[in-house]
Amino acid sequence: MGAQAVRAFMSIGEVLALLQGEFPDVTISKIRFLEGEGLIEPQRSPSGYRKFTHNDVERLRYILTAQRDHYLPLRVIKDHLEEQATRPRDVSSEVPAVRLSREELLEAAGIDDETLAEMESFGLVVPVARRYDADALDVARNVAELARFGLHPRHLRAVKAVVEREAGLVEQAVAPLLRRRAPGAIDQAGETGREISGLLQKLHSALLRGSVRGVLGR
């Protein structure tokens, strides 16, 4: 029983060993920093050593995943964790769908309100119920990066138009599946849509590379 009680807790080194396979950049200093920012609260032994539970590890995994996959600021991640704390279950390693307020999106994308308003005016970013999802965050970040090269939202309307036409092709392909009443038809339509989207992205990239080579005379 004593051995089981000991294994209920892990040292910071053991936690690091558990996480480094999935997050190679994580360090002991990083874990301590997250503790200092109030995102994790490991217990302490009488001698002052940190004692991490499995829930602490899952919380860390959640934080690191949100940073790596969604580039969310720590303040936003902390808000999400506090929201989850009100739910009747432990923090999961699965990061829920991103739902950012306008202020959170501005901070996460590193843009100002005027830039976001311009993106919205050209339909590049569209809030749903006054919230922004992960795709909106990706779009905002990429549009902001393109601005460094003199390409602003008004220049990107053509890109938006191309995407809408490609979405029309996906819709055309999956429409027969969506009309079927057979079990699993909706799942099959989703899988087909994702596969076609991936192929269209590859085609788009290949055509763009060829066109750019032509522009550069290569």
Side-chain angles (χ1 to χ4, degrees), residues 70-104:
H70 300 300
Y71 309 97
L72 295 179
L74 290 180
R75 183 180 63 78
V76 175
I77 297 173
K78 189 173 183 180
D79 289 344
H80 287 183
L81 286 167
E82 289 174 354
E83 289 177 10
Q84 281 202 339
T86 64
R87 300 175 186 174
R89 65 182 182 88
D90 293 332
V91 172
S92 167
S93 59
E94 292 185 8
V95 178
V98 175
R99 292 289 181 268
L100 302 176
S101 67
R102 189 176 189 84
E103 292 72 22
E104 289 171 339

Side-chain angles (χ1 to χ4, degrees), residues 7-167:
R7 296 313 303 161
F9 296 99
M10 289 168 276
S11 69
I12 193 169
E14 290 172 323
V15 171
L16 181 65
L18 278 175
L19 295 174
Q20 273 192 321
E22 187 176 355
F23 307 98
D25 295 333
V26 70
T27 62
I28 286 178
S29 296
K30 170 77 170 182
I31 296 173
R32 288 173 176 162
F33 171 76
L34 293 173
E35 180 186 3
E37 293 295 308
L39 279 90
I40 55 172
E41 297 179 359
Q43 299 179 40
R44 295 273 183 164
S45 69
S47 54
Y49 290 104
R50 293 172 179 83
K51 301 193 304 180
F52 293 84
T53 65
H54 289 287
N55 281 343
D56 291 328
V57 174
E58 290 307 308
R59 189 177 177 96
L60 272 168
R61 185 173 279 115
Y62 175 99
I63 294 165
L64 296 171
T65 300
Q67 284 190 307
R68 181 193 64 194
D69 296 351
H70 300 300
Y71 309 97
L72 295 179
L74 290 180
R75 183 180 63 78
V76 175
I77 297 173
K78 189 173 183 180
D79 289 344
H80 287 183
L81 286 167
E82 289 174 354
E83 289 177 10
Q84 281 202 339
T86 64
R87 300 175 186 174
R89 65 182 182 88
D90 293 332
V91 172
S92 167
S93 59
E94 292 185 8
V95 178
V98 175
R99 292 289 181 268
L100 302 176
S101 67
R102 189 176 189 84
E103 292 72 22
E104 289 171 339
L105 179 67
L106 294 175
E107 180 180 348
I111 59 176
D112 57 30
D113 192 72
E114 182 179 355
T115 301
L116 178 56
E118 188 179 6
M119 292 181 192
E120 291 175 329
S121 70
F122 291 107
L124 298 172
V125 173
V126 180
V128 177
R130 302 178 68 179
R131 292 281 169 172
Y132 301 84
D133 61 15
D135 288 334
L137 177 57
D138 285 342
V139 169
R141 282 180 170 145
N142 282 295
V143 173
E145 284 295 307
L146 286 168
R148 296 192 298 111
F149 302 96
L151 297 174
H152 299 284
R154 66 181 180 277
H155 301 122
L156 302 175
R157 286 177 292 182
V159 177
K160 172 72 171 175
V162 169
V163 169
E164 289 176 346
R165 287 196 292 271
E166 291 177 346

Side-chain angles (χ1 to χ4, degrees), residues 184-213:
I186 293 179
D187 290 339
Q188 185 181 356
E191 183 177 345
T192 300
R194 286 188 291 273
E195 184 176 358
I196 295 173
S197 296
L199 292 171
L200 286 172
Q201 288 174 4
K202 291 178 181 178
L203 175 61
H204 183 94
S205 296
L207 291 172
L208 181 59
R209 286 195 300 270
S211 295
V212 170
R213 282 197 300 271

